[in-house]
């Protein structure tokens, strides 16, 4: 199979070209394809020894009713016997151990102050001024949940028979993905496809298998065929080509390659030297039932419920260390051979020069057996997220990213890089799906690439970067355009000697105020250009005048109100005492303005069950006073003076109150709670104090007590996969939407900490936090000993982090495009203003743009995001972020300048909003269809003509299929049996305001081999791909997804390592209940704990640590996050999904 890595003719725009890595491509082959009813196909000719043949689940027939951007394309199958969205189970041969990454993947040791990964750039597409690399999401299911849960391929460990020396089997199943950079002009030469006959040895060491051949930055990637390493013609546009073309029947004059240039189609020895684990037991046959383990749990994980709830878990199957091919131990299952054009049909007989099955295997007089099934696609030959991330780090991590050039694609979020602001906002504040946008709406519709920006207006910066400068223009306020009201920025054009300026957004000419006048130099720039942040920087702040304030008066400093549930559950679990103890010290760390001595924020306290208790903590009192409001139907605040106080003045009274609360309610028998009146009480208190603020509500149960906003238990799993499933994500009542609207008007933001032991209706309780710009934290089955550390860390960070109150954001654009759609945690009362009672440094707002006119390549397109907010000291400010983008008339320029991580962030949010109004299946089909259209448009308009059997991916979108598959397999779109309705609602809200770095690791988790860590260096061990076949049972791995950290321990790990990390002498003694690693004085323990601390420091939430022993019941949960594998909920493996996407693209093209 040829791996075409084609080069472009030279780096455009004079940019040096970073090295792409040449993917080496072994063959690909033959399991039955999950996702297709068995009856549709004829039987195949017998199994290959050692392959597990899964039983296909039900077919996958998407409907297309979900509103797409642009008209949906009808997906008619091009193969009569095939369901339209069929995914084949092309399981990858194991390479137990990741391909060794390029060196240099180091991370700074200390916790990074901002997004963990930051992006480095691999020139994707045709490198324009710079181009992005992509980043992965985490595992998400693919087949609709109505299908019986297939357990086929629970594990990716598999054994393979001896390598066939024939290429017969390489050809039949989409015969031969070439992966490389083929594109815009030279089709792959006809005779080079499958030219090599692999060595017959079963232990052939694939020196080249998982590695990518780098080439120098100045030349393009050499187009190399894996089988013979001949450089081919260099086409202009780099692309990832995966050929699914039938090989030629004869290649004259071909000689087998030396081991270093190719990979035998069947033997992929471990690249890390670990023993290859054997196959897992096959799937159930039709009619068998399988107890489904809680494979899933959300992509966050609740604490394990009490033991009874975990009873359904099965220990993972044992994995022994066999190396040789085992004898077949399963009955043959039907297979699905491919015809010449890659569609399914009868197998052809052996061709000349393609040997029969297993040459050299004696027949012992029996008739020759049937040919083996086709080889599967080798996972090492398809685009690897790990490799893309690694390349970007190496190519773009060392140089600062200077923002002076229009339309520059930033490094990936996974690359650590420094930003120098020279006129465009840092990618930490704004990332776009594309940095070169189509000039016309027709072109945008044709490509189907959404034009969106993910904006994080108050993002935290690393210490080496400068915070935005604060500019004070005095009473006159910021200089603005008279017509569109855009703020002064580097793109405004001064004319007439500096007396007027022309707006870069609407072209209106405005007089320069006399106090702002300055002369121009010989280039037309003002001579004070570098002295004024608003003329030379992409991001800066203005001090707002009184005209920007409510009721034309400056705001008071905000207040924090702590509202604690004191019902039976909260008291009994120790939660109330824990919160009170923590608040005593935490109140000293309230956020403060830059150099202020103490925080200006005032605090108040409320406790509640069925009634509310307010506390007077006025500094002149000897003891706090409690006032009870039992009329929850008409909420009011019984005291004004003494409720909101300065911490330092009332310190002793507050300390006394926090000591007394746990004692006061120690013997409570009240189990019922209210919820809406609690928010109303906080809102009324802020209204009375005439200030904005935040409510911290600690809540444990469904509010069933008689009161406004009372809820009933409506959890119903039977609705999953029906048209009514969307009601599970919608609030029960509109009461909370109205309450949220009142909160936003007052600047009352709600942060909700939930501690449920059963259904709580997060979809409804979350409405107010969500629409006010607040956060939700959830600790299911909260247990003091295992969960307190995580909860306290979350609470500390939540109280201390930078937050703006009473915020309004507007995004202005230059003529030709406009903001049309918004995603995130906010409220909108009109079509342009995003209103948030609170906005913190972790929240993003995603904005989609549409054309309303033509754009020009010369002037490009501009965005200006203006955020008006009150700082924690009560100062009214405007934060401005500007970004200039290129415009193009050629689709190739669009595809060269896309950012897949941002695209996936947008698509996930679009889909997660879609489930509120459409059936989940419709949403999934729409996602697949849109991505197929994006890739089909590239294939049709930008890639060189080549056979339909090749899947050609744009270089900067080559990870789109793997990441999209992860979104499709997520708990929101494809829940496993153990994922609760609350978990899904929680994840849905969480993802909607995540930034690009968070969605990247959430959808495609980071997997690190801890046993490979260098204890003497600060760097992290090189990450490996998210697949079970990469795991070796002699190693320990860490997997993180932003909400959880799993430490997976293989059964054969050396005793010394177990002793050093866990302080016990054997594998069996490791406790599953650990929530932190023991502190032991040895280099390995210190190294692993420093890695965990570093990862925790990079995330906005404290991740729950879960220790998983191989073959333990928790392993099912861990495997849910190995997102390149087939999931237990029916989600496709990466290999299968890639083939499925190829089929979708071919249907669109035909």
């Amino acid at each position: 199979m040829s791996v075409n890595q084609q080069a472009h003719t030279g780096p455009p725009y004079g940019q040096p070209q970073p090295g792409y890595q040449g993917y080496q491509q072994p063959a690909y082959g033959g399991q039955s394809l999950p996702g297709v009813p068995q009856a549709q196909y004829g039987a195949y000719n017998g199994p290959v020894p050692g392959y597990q043949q899964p039983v296909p689940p039900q077919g996958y027939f998407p409907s297309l009713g979900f509103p797409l951007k642009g008209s949906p394309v009808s997906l008619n199958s091009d193969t009569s016997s095939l369901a339209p969205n069929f995914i084949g189970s092309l399981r990858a041969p194991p390479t137990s151990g990741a391909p060794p990454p390029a060196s240099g993947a180091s991370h700074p040791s200390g916790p990074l102050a901002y997004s963990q990964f930051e992006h480095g750039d691999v020139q994707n597409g045709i490198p324009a001024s710079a181009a992005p690399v992509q980043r992965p999401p985490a595992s998400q299911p693919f087949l609709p949940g109505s299908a019986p849960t297939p357990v086929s391929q629970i594990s990716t460990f598999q054994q393979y028979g001896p390598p066939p020396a024939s290429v017969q089997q390489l050809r039949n199943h989409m015969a031969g993905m070439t992966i490389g950079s083929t594109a815009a002009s030279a089709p792959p030469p006809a005779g080079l496809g499958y030219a090599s006959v692999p060595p017959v040895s079963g232990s052939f060491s694939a020196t080249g298998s998982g590695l990518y051949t780098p080439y120098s930055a100045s030349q393009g990637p050499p187009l190399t065929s894996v089988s013979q390493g001949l450089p081919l013609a260099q086409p202009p546009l780099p692309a990832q080509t995966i050929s699914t073309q039938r090989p030629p029947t004869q290649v004259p004059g071909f000689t087998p390659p030396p081991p270093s240039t190719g990979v035998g189609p069947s033997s992929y020895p471990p690249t890390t030297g670990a023993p290859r684990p054997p196959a897992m037991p096959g799937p159930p046959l039709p009619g068998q039932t399988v107890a489904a383990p809680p494979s899933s749990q959300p992509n966050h994980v609740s604490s394990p419920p009490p033991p009874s709830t975990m009873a359904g878990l099965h220990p993972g199957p044992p994995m022994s260390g066999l190396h040789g091919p085992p004898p077949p131990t399963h009955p043959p299952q039907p297979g699905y051979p491919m015809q010449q054009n890659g569609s399914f049909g009868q197998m052809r007989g052996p061709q000349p020069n393609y040997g029969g099955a297993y040459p050299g295997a004696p027949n012992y007089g029996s008739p020759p057996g049937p040919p083996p099934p086709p080889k599967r696609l080798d996972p090492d030959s398809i685009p690897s997220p790990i490799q893309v991330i690694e390349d970007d780090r190496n190519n773009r991590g060392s140089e600062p990213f200077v923002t002076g050039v229009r339309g520059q694609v930033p490094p990936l979020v996974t690359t650590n890089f420094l930003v120098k602001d020279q006129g465009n906002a840092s990618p930490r504040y704004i990332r776009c799906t594309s940095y070169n946008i189509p000039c016309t709406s027709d072109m945008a519709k044709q490509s189907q690439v959404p034009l969106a920006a993910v904006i994080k207006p108050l993002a935290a910066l690393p210490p080496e970067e400068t915070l935005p400068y604060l500019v004070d223009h005095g009473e006159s306020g910021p200089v603005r355009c008279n017509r569109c009201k855009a703020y002064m920025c580097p793109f405004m054009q001064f004319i007439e000697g500096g007396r007027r300026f022309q707006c870069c957004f609407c072209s209106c000419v405005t007089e320069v105020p006399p106090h702002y006048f300055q002369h121009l130099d010989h280039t037309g720039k003002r001579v004070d250009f570098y002295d004024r942040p608003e003329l030379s920087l992409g991001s800066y702040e203005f001090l707002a005048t009184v005209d920007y304030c409510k009721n034309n008066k400056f705001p008071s400093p905000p207040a924090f109100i702590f509202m604690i549930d004191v019902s039976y559950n909260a008291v009994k679990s120790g939660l109330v005492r824990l919160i009170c103890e923590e608040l005593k010290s935490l109140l000293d760390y309230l956020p403060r303005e830059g150099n202020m001595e103490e925080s200006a924020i005032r605090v108040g306290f409320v406790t509640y069950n069925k009634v509310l208790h307010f506390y007077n903590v006025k500094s002149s009192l000897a003891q706090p006073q409690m006032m009870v409001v039992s009329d929850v139907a008409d909420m009011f605040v019984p005291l004004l003076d003494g409720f909101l106080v300065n911490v330092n003045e009332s310190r002793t009274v507050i300390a006394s109150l926090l000591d007394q609360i746990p004692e006061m309610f120690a013997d409570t028998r009240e189990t019922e709670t209210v919820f809406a009146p609690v928010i109303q009480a906080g809102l009324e208190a802020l209204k009375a104090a005439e200030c904005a603020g935040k409510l911290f509500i600690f809540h444990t149960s469904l509010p069933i007590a008689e009161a406004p906003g009372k809820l009933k238990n409506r959890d119903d799993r039977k609705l999953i996969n029906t048209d009514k499933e969307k009601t599970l994500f919608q609030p029960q009542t509109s009461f909370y939407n109205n309450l949220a609207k009142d909160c936003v008007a007052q600047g009352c933001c709600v942060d909700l900490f939930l501690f449920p032991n059963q259904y709580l209706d997060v979809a409804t309780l979350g409405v107010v936090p969500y629409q006010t710009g607040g956060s939700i934290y959830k600790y299911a089955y909260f247990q003091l000993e295992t969960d307190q550390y995580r909860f306290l860390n979350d609470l500390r960070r939540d109280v201390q982090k930078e937050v703006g109150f009473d915020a309004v954001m507007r995004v202005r654009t230059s003529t030709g495009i406009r903001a049309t759609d918004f995603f995130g945690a906010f409220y909108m009362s009109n079509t342009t203003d995003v209103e948030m009672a609170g906005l913190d440094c972790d929240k993003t707002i995603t904005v989609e743009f549409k054309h309303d006119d033509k754009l020009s390549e010369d002037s490009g397109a501009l965005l200006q995001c203006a955020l008006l907010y009150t700082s924690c000291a009560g100062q009214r400010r405007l934060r401005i972020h500007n970004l200039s983008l290129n415009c193009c008339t050629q689709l190739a320029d669009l595809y060269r300048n896309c950012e897949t991580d941002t695209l996936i962030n947008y698509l996930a949010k679009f889909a997660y909003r879609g489930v509120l109004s459409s059936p989940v299946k419709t949403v999934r089909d729409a996602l697949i269809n849109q991505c197929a259209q994006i890739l089909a448009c590239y294939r049709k308009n930008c890639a060189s003509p080549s056979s339909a059997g090749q899947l050609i991916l744009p270089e900067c979108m080559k990870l789109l299929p793997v990441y999209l598959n992860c979104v499709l397999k997520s708990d929101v779109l494809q829940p496993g049996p153990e994922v609760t309705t609350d978990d899904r609602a929680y994840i849905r809200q969480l993802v909607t305001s995540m930034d690009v770095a968070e969605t990247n690791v959430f959808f495609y988790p980071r997997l690190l081999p801890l046993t490979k860590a260098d204890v003497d260096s600060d760097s992290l061990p090189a990450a490996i791909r998210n697949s079970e076949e990469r795991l070796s049972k002699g190693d320990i791995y860490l997997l993180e997804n932003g909400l959880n950290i799993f430490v997976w321990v293989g059964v054969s790990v050396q005793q010394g390592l177990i002793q050093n990390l866990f302080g016990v002498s054997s594998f069996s003694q490791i406790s599953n209940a650990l929530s932190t690693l023991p502190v032991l004085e040895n280099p390995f323990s210190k190294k692993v704990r420093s890695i965990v601390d570093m990862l925790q420091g990079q995330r906005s939430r404290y991740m729950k640590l879960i220790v998983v022993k191989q073959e333990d019941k928790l392993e099912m949960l861990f495997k849910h996050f190995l997102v390149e594998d087939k999931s237990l909920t029916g989600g496709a493996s990466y290999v299968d999904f890639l083939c499925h996407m190829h089929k979708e693209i071919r249907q669109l093209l035909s």
Side-chain angles (χ1 to χ4, degrees), residues 29 154 267 481 511 531 548 550 570 581-582 600 947 971 1074:
I154 290 176
S267 134
C481 166
E511 294 282 336
D531 302 331
Y548 292 87
K550 266 188 194 160
E581 280 303 313
E582 178 61 25
S947 85
D971 292 323
L1074 289 175

Side-chain angles (χ1 to χ4, degrees), residues 377-541:
L377 191 57
D378 168 36
D380 281 338
S381 64
I382 56 181
S384 157
I386 302 303
Q387 190 63 41
V388 169
I389 289 169
E390 197 56 49
D391 293 348
D392 193 76
R393 278 196 188 126
N394 295 337
N395 293 329
R396 303 197 63 186
S398 51
E399 293 296 310
F401 178 68
V402 180
T403 71
V405 181
R406 181 176 85 189
Q408 262 191 116
V409 183
L412 293 183
V413 283
T414 43
T415 297
N416 226 346
F417 63 102
L418 259 171
V419 179
K420 290 195 173 161
D421 185 342
Q422 291 192 359
N424 282 292
S426 162
R428 305 196 205 291
Y429 295 123
I430 307 181
R431 275 186 180 269
C432 294
T433 52
S434 178
Y435 288 80
N436 201 332
I437 60 182
C439 283
T440 64
S441 61
D442 290 346
M443 196 172 149
K445 281 194 187 110
Q446 185 186 358
S447 75
Q448 285 285 317
V449 175
L451 304 176
V454 179
I455 305 173
K456 195 174 182 183
L458 297 179
L461 299 182
E464 315 83 75
E465 292 177 22
T466 317
L467 290 169
Y469 289 100
L470 180 60
V471 179
D472 184 357
H473 282 313
E475 290 186 11
S476 58
V479 178
R480 303 177 70 177
C481 166
N482 273 345
R483 182 160 71 196
C484 72
K485 301 297 181 199
Y487 294 87
M488 179 55 65
C489 72
F491 312 120
M492 298 289 191
Q493 190 69 42
F494 287 88
I495 54 176
E496 296 176 24
R499 285 187 291 280
R500 307 171 89 188
F501 67 90
Q502 183 169 28
C503 177
C504 51
F505 294 94
C506 70
S507 303
C508 172
V509 174
T510 301
E511 294 282 336
V512 173
H515 71 89
Y516 198 70
F517 174 78
Q518 186 53 272
H519 295 286
L520 308 184
D521 66 12
H522 64 286
T523 63
K525 260 187 190 172
R526 284 172 53 124
V527 296
D528 62 352
F529 177 83
Y530 291 108
D531 302 331
R532 290 193 176 274
E534 72 274 21
L535 298 181
S536 54
L537 298 177
S539 301
Y540 42 87
E541 292 198 314

Side-chain angles (χ1 to χ4, degrees), residues 71-82:
S71 55
V73 173
S74 132
L75 294 180
N76 292 326
S77 172
D78 58 354
T79 58
S80 53
S81 61
L82 199 45

Side-chain angles (χ1 to χ4, degrees), residues 80 142 207 233 261 317 397 486 509 541 629 678 723 815 831 972 1004 1036 1051:
S80 53
F142 185 74
T207 32
T261 55
V509 174
E541 292 198 314
V629 175
V678 181
D723 285 351
T815 311
T831 57
V972 172
Y1004 192 96
I1036 301 174
V1051 286

